[in-house]
Amino acid sequence: MSEKSGWNRMQPVTEPGAIVHQMALNETHHPPLPAVLDAVRDTAGQAHRTLDALGFGLSAALGAHHAVPPADVMVGPGSGALLQLLFSTFTGADTHTVHAWPSWEAYPMMAENAGSSVVRVPLTDERHDLDAMAAAVTDRTALVVVCNPNNPTGTVVDRGTLRPFLDRLPAHVKVVVDEAYLDFTDDGRTDDGIDLYREDERVCVVRTFSKSYGLLSLRVGYLVAHPSLLAPMRGHQLFLRVSAVAQAAAVAALGEAERITAQCRETAAERDRLHGVLTAQGWTSADSQANFVWLPLEKGVEELTQRCADHGVMVCGKPGEGVRVTVAEREANDAFAALAADFRAEFGGVA
């Protein structure tokens, strides 16, 4: 682990093939829908052609889906690639980025890649402290990143609080709203970043097809922003492109929005069930609005993570901070809950 880079997850010792339930990577257990697989097969047969190399068709489909101009959409090979492009375009040696912590560990690494730095603002009760984040902004602040829902805690910024937060920030600061897990959020719990983008040219919304849409290995992400933000980014984009197969899969997935929403609601219901089981055992766990649950732990992370791996369950352990558990099939969730109960019975003081 590196405090500088932000990488803070442990790698438990496992034997090849020992993991039965993968609950560490925030994947969905729902496979791609038939229409998506058909689009992949059809497009793969044209792999010898350039096709839509710059993703104009996908940008248009996303524009129609969100009722925004297609020119305000940029697609890329995963939301992480687009976030790195934001850091590379707008930050540098004399700037920093403000974000909550713990949050996605890639933010400090992306800043380091861009030759800049970050200011980490501690969460309060596992949630973004918007007052403290606003207070941390200086003349050197280039970006503010709000991960909503937050990874790894799963918590959201309360509805109606982001607009006043934006009003407190100086005009030179650009605000990135990372909504990788928004589709799992209960209706009315938080603001929609695209609504904020419509009102404020400083707002850039980043989303992905990797989580709710189940296209993780195909690498498709997109951001929505005004031309004032996108124009300088396009100059840095170069060959940051999405493959034709991935584009076709994403367009087909957009056409299955109702079924995707139903799958997300199913995952959210199972998330809430698992959360209830764990809190009944005595664990402290924030009300997650993502496709994972978070157990904050100052000690015992390594022991719990390794014990789970020894029993075929892989979870994401962050030493000194907690354990993040991706919601999976009911069998997997129950397997983790049983291990958590046994661990708590043996080491009850760690929670």
Side-chain angles (χ1 to χ4, degrees):
M1 294 182 297
S2 167
E3 177 65 21
K4 183 179 180 182
S5 71
W7 185 258
N8 65 330
R9 61 174 74 174
M10 64 169 290
Q11 300 295 322
V13 178
T14 60
E15 296 294 329
I19 300 303
V20 177
H21 302 300
Q22 175 53 262
M23 306 176 72
L25 300 176
N26 291 349
E27 303 163 331
T28 177
H29 66 279
H30 293 286
L33 293 169
V36 174
L37 294 177
D38 288 343
V40 168
R41 282 189 287 266
D42 291 346
T43 310
Q46 304 175 69
H48 58 302
R49 301 297 186 187
T50 302
L51 302 180
D52 186 2
L54 297 179
F56 293 125
L58 177 55
S59 294
L62 285 163
H65 182 74
H66 292 297
V68 303
D72 286 7
V73 179
M74 175 184 285
V75 299
S79 60
L82 293 168
L83 284 162
Q84 182 64 75
L85 184 61
L86 280 161
F87 277 90
S88 299
T89 303
F90 296 113
T91 73
D94 296 326
T95 67
H96 63 237
T97 296
V98 172
H99 64 80
W101 194 261
S103 194
W104 191 28
E105 64 262 355
Y107 299 145
M109 292 187 280
M110 291 173 178
E112 187 175 352
N113 290 341
S116 61
S117 60
V118 298
V119 175
R120 306 182 193 187
V121 178
L123 300 173
T124 298
D125 296 328
E126 307 298 335
R127 301 175 185 278
H128 280 70
D129 187 337
L130 296 181
D131 289 337
M133 290 178 67
V137 171
T138 71
D139 291 343
R140 295 183 57 234
T141 307
L143 299 177
V144 171
V145 178
V146 178
C147 187
N148 191 41
N150 186 47
N151 176 11
T153 61
T155 52
V156 292
V157 176
D158 289 339
R159 186 177 182 87
T161 58
L162 278 176
R163 178 70 266 172
F165 172 68
L166 293 173
D167 291 341
R168 297 179 59 184
L169 301 180
H172 72 275
V173 173
K174 297 165 183 63
V175 181
V176 180
V177 186
D178 184 352
E179 295 183 332
Y181 302 97
L182 186 70
D183 289 341
F184 301 103
T185 303
D186 297 337
D187 291 341
R189 286 296 300 270
T190 191
D191 294 303
D192 186 313
I194 292 181
D195 290 337
L196 298 173
Y197 133 88
R198 298 184 203 278
E199 303 169 2
D200 195 322
E201 290 198 3
R202 299 172 300 168
V203 173
C204 176
V205 181
V206 182
R207 294 186 180 178
T208 181
F209 283 87
S210 294
K211 309 304 180 183
S212 57
Y213 287 95
L215 304 184
L216 198 151
S217 66
L218 290 181
R219 310 307 305 153
V220 194
Y222 64 98
L223 57 81
V224 178
H226 290 274
S228 58
L229 276 169
L230 292 183
M233 293 180 66
R234 294 194 192 283
H236 290 262
Q237 194 173 14
L238 299 177
F239 291 97
L240 190 66
R241 299 177 180 177
V242 182
S243 73
V245 168
Q247 289 181 51
V251 171
L254 286 174
E256 299 288 336
E258 288 188 7
R259 296 182 66 180
I260 297 295
T261 297
Q263 290 179 354
C264 290
R265 298 281 65 80
E266 178 186 321
T267 297
E270 185 63 10
R271 172 199 69 206
D272 293 344
R273 185 189 73 85
L274 177 60
H275 181 266
V277 171
L278 294 172
T279 54
Q281 293 175 2
W283 294 95
T284 298
S285 178
D287 178 17
S288 174
Q289 290 291 294
N291 68 332
F292 50 83
V293 295
W294 171 248
L295 302 180
L297 294 172
E298 293 184 1
K299 58 181 180 178
V301 171
E302 295 90 341
E303 291 82 0
L304 176 56
T305 304
Q306 186 61 58
R307 176 174 294 201
C308 287
D310 290 343
H311 289 81
V313 178
M314 182 69 80
V315 297
C316 180
K318 295 171 175 286
E321 295 177 355
V323 174
R324 190 193 68 203
V325 186
T326 305
V327 176
E329 301 90 343
R330 191 182 184 98
E331 176 187 0
N333 301 329
D334 288 344
F336 171 75
L339 290 166
D342 290 344
F343 185 82
R344 186 169 180 81
E346 186 173 348
F347 302 98
V350 302

